C-alpha cells in the first residue's frame, strides 16, 4: 500500500509553514492528534481532570493496545512514560549491578544512556565494554559474542543512532543475548514509527522509545516495553501510588505487568495524542512508511554527494531516514542557520551526542537532515539548492 502524500500533507498543518527535515528531532503532528489533545484539555477544564480521565478511560486503555501492536508486544508489557530517557533509565535502574559486572554497549550508544553507563561504572563498579563495529560500521555481532563472559549482565545498544542513518543489526544482537541468557535493552527511540518493529524478532527484553520523533506524537510522550518473562529479573528503582500498592503498614505489592515502571501523574491529553499518532502510523503501514522514508533519505544522500565539498557520513549496511553531512569550510551551525533562513528545518549533531563514535571517525559537528514520509522530493531539492550555494 503506498502513502497518499498530498492527503498526509493536508492533515499536517506544519507543512504549510516549514520544510521540516528534522523528524529525528521532533516530527510535525497531524491535525487529528492536535484535535484529540485539545478536546481532552477542554474536557479537563470543563468537568475536572480526574473526571475527564474517567470519561476517557477506554481511549486511554486503547493507547496501550496501539503501542503494543506497533512493536508486536502484549498490552501488559507496555509502560507509558514521558520520554525515551525516562523509559531507558527506568529499565536500567531496575537491574541490580554488583562490582565486576559487565555491560556491553555499542559505539553509537545515545548520550543519555552512555552517561548512565559511566555513572554506573563509577557508582557500582561495573565495567562498560564498548563493542567495536564491523567493516560496515555497525555493531560487530561476532565481537559482541566474543565479549560475553559469565560476568556480563546486560547488553544495551541503540538501534538507530541520533547521529546517522545507520540501522544496527538489533535482531542478530538479540540472538546472541538470548543464547547467552543476558538481559538486552534496546534503545529504539529513532526506529519506532520509522520502521516495522517486532520485539520477538529483535529478541530484546526491554525497549524504549519516544513519541515525538518518527511516531509523530506530541512532545512529553514515550514508552517502555518489558518482556513479561523478564519481569522477575528486574526490580523498579522507585514505586508510587500507581506502580505499587500499599497493602499494610509494612507491606506492598507491585503492579502486575510493565505498569510497575509508570508514575501516577502524566498528561492524559498528550497520551491520547500518542494513541492517535500510533493508530495513524498503523493505518498507513510501517512497511510503507519505512520504504518512503528510507527512499527519500537515500535520494537526499545521492543529491548531496554530487555537490562538490559535501561529504555524507552515514554508515552501515542498512540505512534509514537520517542523513548526516558536512560542507568543507562551512561550520555545521552555519549550514543549519542558512537552511533555517529559508524555513528548512534541520539539526546539528556531534561528538557531544556520540563520544564513542564520531571522534574515533575524525568527525566533529555534522548537519542532520531527517525526512519523514510526508516530505516531498521538492523539499529535498530546496535543501540541496541552499547547500550547493554555500560550498
Ligand atoms: C537514539 C536516541 N535515544 C534516546 C533519545 C532520547 O529521547 P528522549 O529525549 O525522548 O528522552 C534520543 C533523542 O534524540 C535518541 O536519538
Amino acid at each position: 500500500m503506498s502513502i497518499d502524500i498530498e492527503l498526509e500533507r493536508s492533515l499536517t498543518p506544519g507543512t504549510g509553514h516549514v520544510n521540516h527535515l528534522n523528524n529525528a528531532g521532533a516530527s510535525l503532528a497531524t491535525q487529528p492528534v492536535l484535535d484529540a489533545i485539545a478536546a481532552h484539555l477542554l474536557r479537563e477544564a470543563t468537568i475536572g481532570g480526574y473526571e475527564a480521565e474517567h470519561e476517557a478511560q477506554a481511549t486511554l486503555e486503547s493507547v496501550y493496545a496501539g503501542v503494543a501492536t506497533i512493536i508486536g508486544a502484549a498490552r501488559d508489557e507496555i509502560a507509558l512514560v514521558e520520554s525515551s530517557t525516562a523509559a531507558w533509565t527506568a529499565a536500567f535502574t531496575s537491574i541490580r549491578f554488583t562490582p565486576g559486572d559487565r555491560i556491553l554497549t555499542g559505539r553509537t550508544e545515545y548520550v543519555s544512556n552512555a552517561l548512565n553507563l559511566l555513572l554506573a561504572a563509577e557508582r557500582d563498579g561495573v565495567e562498560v565494554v564498548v563493542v567495536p563495529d564491523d567493516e560496515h560500521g555497525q555493531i560487530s555481532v561476532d565481537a559482541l559474542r566474543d565479549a560475553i563472559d559469565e560476568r556480563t549482565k546486560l547488553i544495551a545498544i541503540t538501534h538507530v543512532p541520533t547521529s546517522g542513518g545507520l540501522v544496527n543489526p538489533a535482531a542478530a544482537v538479540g540472538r546472541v543475548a538470548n543464547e547467552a541468557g543476558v538481559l538486552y535493552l534496546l534503545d529504539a527511540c529513532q526506529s519506532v514509527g520509522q520502521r516495522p518493529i517486532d520485539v520477538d524478532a529483535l529478541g530484546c527484553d526491554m525497549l524504549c522509545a519516544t513519541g515525538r520523533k518518527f511516531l509523530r506524537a506530541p512532545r512529553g510522550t514515550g514508552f517502555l516495553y518489558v518482556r513479561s518473562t523478564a519481569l522477575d529479573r528486574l526490580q523498579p528503582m522507585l514505586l508510587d501510588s500507581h506502580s505499587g500498592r500499599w497493602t499494610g503498614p509494612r507491606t506492598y505489592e507491585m503492579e502486575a505487568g510493565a505498569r510497575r515502571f509508570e508514575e501516577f501523574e502524566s498528561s492524559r491529553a498528550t497520551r491520547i495524542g500518542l494513541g492517535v499518532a500510533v493508530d495513524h502510523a498503523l493505518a498507513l503501514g510501517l512497511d510503507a512508511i519505512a520504504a518512503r522514508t528510507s527512499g527519500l533519505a537515500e535520494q537526499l544522500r545521492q543529491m548531496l554527494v554530487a555537490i562538490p565539498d559535501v561529504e555524507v557520513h552515514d554508515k552501515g549496511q542498512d540505512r534509514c531516514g537520517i542523513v548526516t553531512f558536512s560542507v568543507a569550510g562551512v561550520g555545521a551551525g552555519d549550514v543549519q542557520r542558512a537552511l533555517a533562513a529559508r524555513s528548512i528545518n534541520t539539526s546539528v549533531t556531534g561528538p557531544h551526542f556520540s563520544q564513542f563514535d564520531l571522534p574515533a571517525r575524525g568527525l566533529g559537528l555534522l548537519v542532520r537532515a531527517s525526512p519523514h514520509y510526508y516530505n516531498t522530493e521538492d523539499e529535498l531539492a530546496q535543501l540541496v539548492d541552499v547547500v550547493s550555494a554555500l560550498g
Side-chain angles (χ1 to χ4, degrees):
M1 193 181 75
S2 73
I3 298 173
D4 181 340
I5 306 303
E6 276 317 306
L7 174 64
E8 291 307 313
R9 290 178 72 79
S10 73
L11 290 173
T12 307
T15 58
H17 301 278
V18 285
N19 175 351
H20 192 67
L21 295 168
N22 189 17
N23 295 286
S27 282
L28 299 177
T30 63
Q31 190 64 46
V33 167
L34 300 176
D35 291 345
I37 297 168
H40 189 76
L41 288 176
L42 189 60
R43 287 307 282 163
E44 287 187 350
T46 308
I47 64 167
Y50 285 33
E51 293 74 11
E53 175 178 2
H54 184 69
E55 190 179 75
Q57 205 52 51
T59 307
L60 283 160
E61 265 312 303
S62 73
V63 181
Y64 291 89
V67 169
T69 303
I70 211 163
I71 60 166
R75 200 194 329 205
D76 63 356
E77 293 177 314
I78 303 298
L80 297 178
V81 296
E82 316 297 339
S83 69
S84 188
T85 304
W88 192 94
T89 51
F92 182 67
T93 56
S94 73
I95 304 167
R96 282 300 141 94
F97 293 106
T98 48
D101 284 346
R102 295 178 100 204
I103 301 172
L104 309 185
T105 189
R107 279 180 53 175
T108 51
E109 192 58 359
Y110 184 66
V111 46
S112 306
N113 310 346
L115 287 170
N116 286 296
L117 296 179
L118 298 178
L119 196 61
E122 192 172 79
R123 189 187 48 211
D124 302 328
V126 301
E127 186 190 356
V128 176
V129 178
V130 182
V131 175
D133 284 345
D134 67 11
E135 69 277 21
H136 305 291
Q138 58 204 17
I139 189 167
S140 164
V141 178
D142 290 335
L144 177 83
R145 190 181 292 105
D146 291 347
I148 294 181
D149 65 11
E150 67 293 342
R151 295 171 300 153
T152 306
K153 201 156 208 176
L154 175 69
I155 295 171
I157 68 155
T158 293
H159 195 191
V160 166
T162 191
S163 52
L166 165 75
V167 182
N168 264 317
V173 168
R175 285 191 287 277
V176 171
N178 295 168
E179 272 162 29
V182 173
L183 282 169
Y184 177 23
L185 168 56
L186 183 65
D187 178 339
C189 186
Q190 294 286 7
S191 50
V192 172
Q194 185 186 169
R195 323 195 107 212
I197 297 286
D198 177 353
V199 287
D200 286 339
L202 293 170
C204 54
D205 297 297
M206 300 156 281
L207 175 145
C208 64
T210 207
R212 71 179 184 278
K213 298 182 188 289
F214 288 93
L215 271 178
R216 308 187 63 196
R219 296 196 68 167
T221 57
F223 67 86
L224 171 66
Y225 155 80
V226 182
R227 188 176 293 283
S228 55
T229 51
L231 273 179
D232 56 5
R233 295 163 77 188
L234 308 168
Q235 187 178 41
M237 179 65 117
L238 301 166
L239 293 173
D240 76 357
S241 60
H242 166 81
S243 52
R245 264 182 310 282
W246 203 7
T247 49
R250 300 271 164 186
T251 55
Y252 72 94
E253 285 170 2
M254 281 187 277
E255 264 295 312
R259 292 188 204 190
R260 66 182 59 177
F261 294 100
E262 291 184 345
E263 283 179 15
F264 168 76
E265 182 52 359
S266 69
S267 161
R268 294 342 187 227
T270 51
R271 223 172 236 196
I272 290 172
L274 169 68
V276 175
V278 166
D279 290 347
H280 192 81
L282 287 169
L284 291 176
L286 272 299
D287 285 316
I289 291 174
R292 168 82 185 165
T293 305
S294 298
L296 285 175
E298 201 45 49
Q299 277 182 50
L300 182 57
R301 285 185 196 105
Q302 279 164 23
M303 292 194 282
L304 285 169
V305 289
I307 308 172
D309 294 333
V310 172
E311 247 190 285
V312 170
H313 300 286
D314 303 316
K315 53 181 193 162
Q317 261 179 318
D318 180 10
R319 295 189 296 185
C320 67
I322 299 181
V323 179
T324 46
F325 65 96
S326 55
V327 184
V330 189
D334 291 335
V335 178
Q336 185 203 22
R337 279 185 288 278
L339 290 163
R342 306 285 191 86
S343 301
I344 303 173
N345 294 345
T346 57
S347 60
V348 171
T349 189
H352 53 300
F353 282 106
S354 193
Q355 289 289 359
F356 294 147
D357 184 43
L358 295 182
R361 294 163 63 201
L363 296 174
L365 297 179
L366 305 174
V367 187
R368 183 181 71 177
S370 45
H372 210 336
Y373 61 81
Y374 61 77
N375 289 116
T376 63
E377 284 79 357
D378 267 3
E379 288 181 317
L380 303 184
Q382 285 166 25
L383 178 144
V384 169
D385 282 348
V386 174
V387 174
S388 304
L390 291 173

